Amino acid sequence: MFHIHSLKRMALAAAGVLALACAYAQTPAPASGAKQKAVKDQGEFEIYNQAIKDAATPAKVIQDLDTWSQKYPDSDFKDDRLYMYLDAYSKLQPPQPQKVVDYGRQLLAKDLDAAFPGAAGKLQILNIYYQVAWNVATLPSPTPDQLALGEKAARQLLAAAPQYFVAANKPAPTSDADWTKAKEDIEKRARTALVAITLSPANQALAKNDCATAADLYTKALGEYPDNAAISYNLGRSFSCLAKADPNKAPELAPKAIYEFVRAAAVDPTLGGTVQDPKKITDYAATVYSSYHGSQEGLDQLQQQAKASPLPPAGFTIETASAVAARKQKEFAEKEPQLALWMGIKGQLADTNGQQYFEGQLKDADVAGQNGARALKGVLMEAKPACRSKELLVAIPEPGQTAKAPEIDLKLDAPLTGKPAAGQTIEWDGVPKAFTKEPFLLTMETEKAKISGLKLDPCGAAPVHHTATKKK
């Protein structure tokens, strides 16, 4: 759904290049005792000066620097030129992070304090650290060496920022609040780059469907950055990938994947600001949970559990929809065994192969209860005839419903001795003998002795026939 690498690139590109005031129009003064840098001749001065004039157009600056490098490879300003290359490529559109990283590598191999002395030099050094870390993070497939370089630069930036952003270095027009915010912004971006660099091997592994490696790397990263929702989300993707690749392990892996999706949505559905519509992540987490579990029952509890811990506990699982259905069916059968039995019979009779099921399995079977209980229970709808009945029409309504039409026709072995009232609940054992689907009616034969709970009213005295006598 969402790939962390593409999201990361979007986030970094949107942030833009850090606005550091590193103008190279002024060359830092050499340290005391250091050799004074100087241009070779007027030609070098003019090229250097032209590069400064073209500062607003990075492509032109790069052309100027190329000319300078070709004509004056051993310039006293080689280090400044490398910095100007890095700065120009960092501003070029479209971005060329590989170039920034290449020039940054050359600079980081030097003694930066000696190459860029003074307060202005410290600002340039901060920018070098920042640009290297930031641009390594945007490389689509950085090498291990590049990742190591980016991590080193990010950590150096985090160490150097507090030392630079002190009151003594604050420009006069800058407020204390803005100065503090600038420091916090740089540190935040350094940490963002560091996370992206840490995750890059995992992202590459997942992109290659090396899901096992990706899962291991994301799990390790989550240990270092437990509150990072994007890591949780992509660890979920890795587990999901593994579950699809090996269905035998799906019962173990799918719940872990769902756990991480739910955690990402609970901790930060923007995934670190990389998702514009956080509802998509929240809805996705709820959907994968309900699809697996069969409903959103228990989702609230899982959200709280996942929010509290980056990884699920040992043995963690989520009931599948089929397991939930089986459990509820078992609970229902234990609570309402007679109704459960009938619903099972009725469901198979109503199926497209209902007649086949009746003829092959149900017909002439002894449907009897166990341990003294009757097999079925229903509501008497009608007795035929009304008095001394030999046939009872019964309905078995589902929970919460009322009896509407008879579904079972009970044929008795002998007439009843009274009149059964409609609406009463009876229980019975019997033997199925016939079935019609339209209208739905199962005919069963039973004995009066196998019916429980049947109440009879007297049929009433037979009418008296008076015989007329002749009057003598």
Side-chain angles (χ1 to χ4, degrees), residues 353-389:
N353 297 320
Q355 195 64 46
Q356 182 178 347
Y357 160 72
F358 174 76
E359 296 292 344
Q361 300 183 48
L362 190 61
K363 187 177 181 180
D364 296 328
D366 184 12
V367 181
Q370 297 179 349
N371 301 320
R374 298 300 181 191
L376 298 171
K377 179 171 68 173
V379 178
L380 178 61
M381 303 294 288
E382 182 183 359
K384 295 182 179 180
C387 191
R388 298 181 179 86
S389 313

Side-chain angles (χ1 to χ4, degrees), residues 96-103 135 139 146:
Q96 292 195 28
Q98 182 67 61
K99 285 287 189 180
V100 178
V101 173
D102 289 343
Y103 284 106
N135 283 274
L139 290 173
Q146 289 171 332

Side-chain angles (χ1 to χ4, degrees), residues 267-384:
V267 171
D268 177 15
T270 72
L271 302 187
T274 59
V275 177
Q276 292 183 349
D277 183 5
K279 188 174 182 295
K280 289 184 178 180
I281 299 299
T282 302
D283 289 349
Y284 179 71
T287 298
V288 294
Y289 176 85
S290 58
S291 296
Y292 187 84
H293 186 61
S295 72
Q296 291 195 8
E297 180 184 12
L299 178 57
D300 290 345
Q301 293 88 332
L302 179 58
Q303 288 170 337
Q304 295 304 314
Q305 180 185 10
K307 195 172 183 179
S309 175
L311 293 170
F316 172 80
T317 190
I318 299 172
E319 272 190 305
T320 63
S322 59
V324 170
R327 172 174 56 80
K328 290 185 175 181
Q329 178 62 30
K330 181 180 178 182
E331 292 172 353
F332 178 72
E334 291 173 350
K335 184 179 179 181
E336 298 283 353
Q338 294 162 314
L339 181 55
L341 174 61
W342 170 243
M343 290 177 68
I345 293 173
K346 182 179 178 181
Q348 294 187 77
L349 289 173
D351 189 67
T352 52
N353 297 320
Q355 195 64 46
Q356 182 178 347
Y357 160 72
F358 174 76
E359 296 292 344
Q361 300 183 48
L362 190 61
K363 187 177 181 180
D364 296 328
D366 184 12
V367 181
Q370 297 179 349
N371 301 320
R374 298 300 181 191
L376 298 171
K377 179 171 68 173
V379 178
L380 178 61
M381 303 294 288
E382 182 183 359
K384 295 182 179 180

